[in-house]
Amino acid sequence: MATHQMMLVYKNGTYSATATYSVPSGAQNDIKVTLTIQGDTIIAVTTNNNISESQSQYYVDSFNSNINSAVVGSALTDAYAGRVGGASLTSNAFDDALRTIVNDAKA
């Protein structure tokens, strides 16, 4: 019989992590992810992107337009982006940054 765990797995607070990723042109982009966690749930997300070539702008804009609805309200462990807004490279980098945040936020 499973028991309900009452303790939080993650500490409430705001956490940030940055991930770097390569794009097909060979350029490097960065994404800084900032999450606010309360009760093991993501209540806010922001991203700051450093784009080194113009072709990425469309994908990053699409990702940024969709990331809030994809992760806010999700449990921290369920918030991996997968592919948001058709931006697989940006989504993968978000997930890399999220893994760092998950480790940093452990209670």
Side-chain angles (χ1 to χ4, degrees):
M1 183 168 122
T3 59
H4 181 56
Q5 185 180 14
M6 299 299 260
M7 295 182 63
L8 295 178
V9 177
Y10 301 99
K11 294 176 279 192
N12 292 341
T14 300
Y15 300 87
S16 295
T18 301
T20 300
Y21 60 103
S22 297
V23 294
S25 68
Q28 297 279 323
N29 292 345
D30 294 333
I31 183 171
K32 179 181 180 185
V33 176
T34 302
L35 296 178
T36 302
I37 304 163
Q38 183 174 346
D40 290 348
T41 301
I42 297 170
I43 62 168
V45 61
T46 58
T47 59
N48 292 315
N49 300 277
N50 180 15
I51 302 166
S52 58
E53 46 78 53
S54 61
Q55 189 174 8
S56 295
Q57 191 66 55
Y58 167 80
Y59 294 104
V60 169
D61 288 347
S62 180
F63 176 87
N64 287 337
S65 294
N66 291 284
I67 193 60
N68 277 339
S69 61
V71 301
V72 171
S74 298
L76 183 59
T77 55
D78 296 333
Y80 292 95
R83 185 173 181 174
V84 172
S88 58
L89 297 175
T90 307
S91 296
N92 289 343
F94 176 91
D95 288 347
D96 288 345
L98 183 60
R99 279 188 275 284
T100 299
I101 291 170
V102 165
N103 286 330
D104 291 348
K106 284 184 181 170

